[in-house]
Amino acid sequence: MDKGFSPVGLRVLVVDDDPTWLKILEKMLKKCSYEVTTCGLAREALRLLRERKDRYDIVISDVNMPDMDGFKLLEHVGLELDLPVIMMSVDGETKRVMKGVQHGACDYLLKPIRMKELKIIWQHVLRKKLQEVRDIEGCYEGGADWFTRNDETHYLGGGEDVSFGRKRKEFDFEKKLLLQDESDPSSSTSKKARVVWSFELHQKFVNAVNQIGCDHKAGPKKILDLMNVPWLTRENVASHLQKYRLYLSRLEKGKELKCYSGGVKNMDSPPKDAEFSSLIHKGETDPKQLASSSVSDPSSDVHMPPKAKKTRVEFDPPISSSAFDSLIPWDDVIEPKPTILYESSFLQQQPLPSQSPYVANSAPTLMEDEMKPSYETCVNADEFLMPQDKNSTVILQDLVDLSAPSVISSNVTNDTETMLRSLNWELPESHHSGFIDTDLDFSWIQNEHFLANTSGNFQNFQFQDYSCSPSLLSELPPHLWFGNEPEEYTLMIDNGLFIS
Amino acid sequence: MQRQVALIKQSLFDQGYLDEQFVELEELQDDANPNFVEEVATLYFKDSARLISNIEQALERGSFDFNRLDNYMHQFKGSSTSIGASKVKTECTMFREYCRVGNAEVFSLFRTCDECRCLRTFKQLKKEHATLRKKLEQYFQASK
């Protein structure tokens, strides 16, 4: 495929409080033949996005903005509008990039941004569309013929005045286009309906889920029926359910984290330690080296290992300069086997492109703020994690925990959690085999493992996040800063930041 | 005149005031935006003047708020990458590092050292910034 190829007319919204960058990005994107809208304020951007839900294909946003945290904006956009969002920053710290991942960004660009990076952003749009198509397919048992089933379903656009007939045709068109002619990404200009999951809607969803409980047949169709929302489609419910389950599984892990907060028992049980140390030693990459390669050169992107051999989308050009390439293989590795608790087709959604877990991760923070009561009915109330502090630790724990289903807390009796636990159960096996069998370069993830594993102490997780809570550090004696966490210190050094 | 333009530009690169981002900007300049680079530079200096003033105010207040200063510097750094202001960017990075260390510092004596380092770095930063501004003004003037 032609390297310089990019779809004309891709509608991009750029959000950045820096007027200089806004001007430059506008010019760059125009040179890519994209349709650009610039915005200096996050709130203004949200307003624009909500106003005309189908107006934009992709959002590029800076991480640091005065009126709203870039990550918050990211969450809102990802959850409400389901648009691909690319984060930008001058700061390439692994931690921040990880945060971007958690909140659902589909890429993380380092400033100064180059033309070549902007030229390929259309791939994120395409990838997302493909994922949506797959989501829909996955909803049908056995993946039956999409076109015949098409007549049964109806769609809703962002506004209520959408005629069903029109939308159906557009959907047909898009599906055909995507499957038959991937080399023509100008299909991205066709409009795709987006469902906004409001508080009420989500409430209905959660009620329906709880009603069903851990019934074996609990799937999007049943939930949809129970919800009794006429304009909602099964695929809408399916993708939302997926995000919700991932969110709950994160909560689950967060609960474990809290259980062991005394620091006495590590998340890792001995067999798992062996597993992980073998995984860590698998990769030749020195974590220091990784750290230096990722942040010592601010003029390049965050350097990530090359993408896995397995590609999730049907076209050839690799998505380069993506901060999340190495995390994507992680999802690929997870090959779910159907369990008795879920419809098998639904599970096939798991190894899909990076979007789902990332967007799912954005769910907790938004939902927590707005939907606490409903969650209390299905998970224990004390499980709420503070998004700012805990997310980064939770994600590390996630990486650590995936191989140790056995340590999942035993005092959980709730049905929904049982469902999730069984889901978690299948992850380790395939995860394990995935690491051994496939040729993935996951050394970047290992880097995180390494940091996580250097101390089995919960306190140290917070320590890694020290920039958020400096008061914590000030209580620690100085020798702990540079003694116990040599990797962190080395990371600091390798960041090119030096103390004279 | 052309030769002078080339000389100024060359010296800016040789002395490390500008990096390849500046070249990228020049490549963006076209018939639709014939003065693109100059416009961007003007915008940058206007915005950075505002940032410098904010930082100065923060420093004057007496008590060092490392977090706040770090925040300003983050903005400044981001802004400086836009035109490829390499030396300025380096000073920003240093300043931020001192902020980070100073923030974590328990012993007040060491903290004071970090504050001093911040002040010293900021002074250097302003100097680099002013030099760059002057040189670029010369450059754009000569290009006309």
Side-chain angles (χ1 to χ4, degrees):
Chain A
M1 187 178 264
D2 180 6
K3 259 193 179 168
F5 182 79
S6 63
V8 172
L10 191 74
R11 296 159 307 168
V12 186
L13 177 67
V14 187
V15 192
D16 196 336
D17 65 318
D18 185 339
T20 321
W21 268 113
L22 215 54
K23 187 180 170 83
I24 296 174
L25 286 167
E26 185 182 29
K27 182 73 186 166
M28 280 182 164
L29 290 164
K30 280 199 173 135
K31 279 229 152 165
C32 294
S33 310
Y34 295 150
E35 207 183 278
V36 191
T37 312
T38 59
C39 197
L41 287 170
R43 290 197 198 281
E44 176 65 19
L46 259 184
R47 191 188 65 79
L48 281 172
L49 287 163
R50 282 170 178 156
E51 189 180 311
R52 293 270 303 279
K53 291 178 182 65
D54 290 340
R55 181 98 172 58
Y56 304 99
D57 296 311
I58 187 165
V59 179
I60 304 180
S61 167
D62 189 73
V63 162
N64 284 76
M65 283 187 289
D67 64 329
M68 189 195 290
D69 184 22
F71 295 115
K72 260 251 151 340
L73 173 68
L74 168 58
E75 277 173 28
H76 282 293
V77 174
L79 204 66
E80 286 177 40
L81 303 156
D82 204 27
L83 281 175
V85 183
I86 295 177
M87 303 302 292
M88 301 183 285
S89 181
V90 70
D91 185 357
E93 266 183 32
T94 316
K95 200 174 55 191
R96 298 224 95 196
V97 175
M98 283 292 279
K99 198 173 177 191
V101 173
Q102 284 167 252
H103 288 76
C106 55
D107 208 341
Y108 193 108
L109 303 178
L110 278 194
K111 288 180 174 177
I113 297 176
R114 297 275 177 264
M115 273 291 282
K116 62 177 194 239
E117 295 168 79
L118 294 177
K119 279 204 172 119
I120 56 164
I121 62 174
W122 59 268
Q123 294 175 356
H124 295 291
V125 179
L126 183 60
R127 193 202 303 188
K128 203 151 181 136
K129 288 199 189 290
L130 286 173
Q131 187 208 349
E132 280 168 10
V133 166
R134 282 201 197 127
D135 274 351
I136 292 148
E137 279 187 330
C139 290
Y140 294 91
E141 284 132 345
D145 177 31
W146 190 87
F147 289 104
T148 54
R149 291 284 186 126
N150 192 18
D151 297 330
E152 295 177 353
T153 58
H154 48 272
Y155 314 89
L156 176 80
E160 280 72 28
D161 56 348
V162 166
S163 75
F164 292 143
R166 177 168 75 83
K167 278 297 169 186
R168 192 178 309 159
K169 269 200 227 117
E170 276 186 354
F171 214 165
D172 273 342
F173 171 75
E174 201 172 75
K175 163 89 174 178
K176 279 183 191 149
L177 207 63
L178 286 168
L179 291 182
Q180 291 164 17
D181 188 10
E182 287 112 19
S183 58
D184 179 20
S186 56
S187 62
S188 58
T189 53
S190 67
K191 292 176 179 49
K192 172 76 175 84
R194 293 196 167 94
V195 173
V196 176
W197 281 86
S198 66
F199 173 69
E200 290 85 12
L201 193 61
H202 181 74
Q203 188 87 13
K204 282 190 182 163
F205 170 79
V206 173
N207 290 340
V209 168
N210 292 339
Q211 247 183 294
I212 297 170
C214 70
D215 183 8
H216 288 197
K217 294 293 180 218
K221 176 141 177 54
K222 255 233 158 131
I223 297 170
L224 181 67
D225 292 341
L226 275 173
M227 278 176 76
N228 195 25
V229 176
W231 50 263
L232 200 63
T233 72
R234 183 146 72 168
E235 43 274 13
N236 300 138
V237 173
S239 77
H240 195 76
L241 177 63
Q242 188 184 358
K243 293 172 195 171
Y244 179 67
R245 280 155 69 225
L246 282 161
Y247 159 67
L248 285 177
S249 71
R250 298 264 178 261
L251 278 186
E252 173 92 14
K253 303 225 166 80
K255 212 165 80 89
E256 289 161 38
L257 190 71
K258 285 171 114 178
C259 286
Y260 301 125
S261 63
V264 174
K265 185 176 193 294
N266 196 343
M267 291 304 147
D268 307 344
S269 51
K272 197 186 78 146
D273 267 340
E275 224 176 340
F276 261 94
S277 51
S278 72
L279 291 174
I280 287 162
H281 291 129
K282 242 181 170 7
E284 303 91 22
T285 319
D286 185 20
K288 287 187 227 172
Q289 194 186 326
L290 265 175
S292 60
S293 68
S294 67
V295 293
S296 64
D297 180 10
S299 62
S300 70
D301 318 322
V302 176
H303 169 72
M304 290 298 160
K307 223 163 79 92
K309 280 181 183 170
K310 251 199 265 185
T311 53
R312 290 134 288 108
V313 292
E314 288 92 284
F315 61 96
D316 285 334
I319 298 174
S320 63
S321 68
S322 164
F324 306 128
D325 275 350
S326 55
L327 285 177
I328 292 166
W330 182 277
D331 290 329
D332 269 342
V333 161
I334 298 167
E335 284 158 352
K337 303 172 188 103
T339 64
I340 51 170
L341 291 185
Y342 291 109
E343 292 174 344
S344 55
S345 58
F346 194 58
L347 283 175
Q348 279 152 27
Q349 292 177 40
Q350 290 302 345
L352 281 180
S354 52
Q355 283 306 313
S356 34
Y358 303 154
V359 179
N361 280 322
S362 73
T365 30
L366 190 66
M367 288 181 193
E368 270 176 51
D369 294 342
E370 299 173 7
M371 301 164 192
K372 272 199 161 74
S374 63
Y375 281 4
E376 275 167 3
T377 60
C378 60
V379 293
N380 297 332
D382 63 348
E383 282 178 2
F384 290 120
L385 308 171
M386 288 313 297
Q388 245 63 36
D389 302 331
K390 293 280 167 60
N391 266 353
S392 54
T393 56
V394 168
I395 192 88
L396 284 173
Q397 277 302 303
D398 288 341
L399 297 175
V400 168
D401 275 337
L402 275 176
S403 311
S406 53
V407 298
I408 287 173
S409 146
S410 59
N411 62 351
V412 171
T413 52
N414 186 284
D415 284 343
T416 315
E417 282 155 13
T418 317
M419 278 159 77
L420 288 167
R421 204 177 309 150
S422 68
L423 177 68
N424 290 337
W425 270 100
E426 53 181 53
L427 295 176
E429 301 162 58
S430 40
H431 151 82
H432 184 60
S433 61
F435 270 120
I436 289 171
D437 295 340
T438 67
D439 213 11
L440 306 170
D441 185 357
F442 49 84
S443 46
W444 186 74
I445 301 171
Q446 287 177 359
N447 183 27
E448 294 303 311
H449 282 159
F450 193 64
L451 285 176
N453 275 324
T454 47
S455 51
N457 199 333
F458 177 75
Q459 186 185 30
N460 281 322
F461 282 111
Q462 290 193 314
F463 174 64
Q464 281 173 9
D465 205 17
Y466 76 91
S467 63
C468 294
S469 49
S471 57
L472 207 80
L473 252 198
S474 59
E475 293 159 28
L476 290 175
H479 74 268
L480 266 189
W481 303 347
F482 304 125
N484 276 5
E485 292 291 311
E487 289 73 33
E488 181 81 351
Y489 182 54
T490 316
L491 257 180
M492 260 171 58
I493 297 294
D494 286 337
N495 277 3
L497 307 168
F498 45 90
I499 306 163
S500 63
Chain B
M1 224 26 168
Q2 283 285 49
R3 190 168 145 72
Q4 194 179 4
V5 170
L7 278 173
I8 297 176
K9 188 166 155 192
Q10 196 55 44
S11 86
L12 280 169
F13 278 100
D14 288 343
Q15 290 172 33
Y17 281 101
L18 290 176
D19 60 31
E20 61 270 11
Q21 174 67 11
F22 195 79
V23 179
E24 292 265 335
L25 289 185
E26 288 187 315
E27 280 171 10
L28 285 175
Q29 192 158 283
D30 54 19
D31 294 334
N33 294 88
N35 297 315
F36 182 69
V37 187
E38 190 176 354
E39 287 166 13
V40 171
T42 310
L43 204 54
Y44 166 69
F45 283 110
K46 187 170 129 200
D47 196 46
S48 54
R50 179 187 62 91
L51 276 170
I52 286 176
S53 152
N54 282 346
I55 296 168
E56 271 172 350
Q57 277 180 14
L59 290 170
E60 261 169 35
R61 256 180 232 128
S63 65
F64 255 67
D65 184 350
F66 282 119
N67 275 328
R68 191 174 191 172
L69 288 168
D70 184 57
N71 214 349
Y72 283 137
M73 270 303 159
H74 183 99
Q75 288 179 49
F76 206 123
K77 187 178 174 188
S79 197
S80 301
T81 55
S82 69
I83 65 160
S86 182
K87 284 199 174 191
V88 177
K89 192 171 81 172
T90 307
E91 298 298 329
C92 290
T93 307
M94 277 185 74
F95 192 102
R96 290 193 74 201
E97 180 51 20
Y98 295 144
C99 284
R100 228 175 276 204
V101 174
N103 216 2
E105 187 59 63
V106 170
F107 302 111
S108 60
L109 187 65
F110 295 161
R111 217 183 137 95
T112 313
C113 289
D114 297 320
E115 288 174 12
C116 284
R117 287 196 194 107
C118 281
L119 286 168
R120 201 177 64 204
T121 311
F122 185 57
K123 199 168 161 189
Q124 183 66 15
L125 187 153
K126 281 193 285 185
K127 188 171 142 216
E128 306 289 5
H129 183 258
T131 309
L132 178 65
R133 183 184 206 144
K134 205 165 78 181
K135 288 192 180 244
L136 277 177
E137 274 171 12
Q138 284 175 351
Y139 173 72
F140 290 125
Q141 200 59 37
S143 303
K144 287 200 168 70

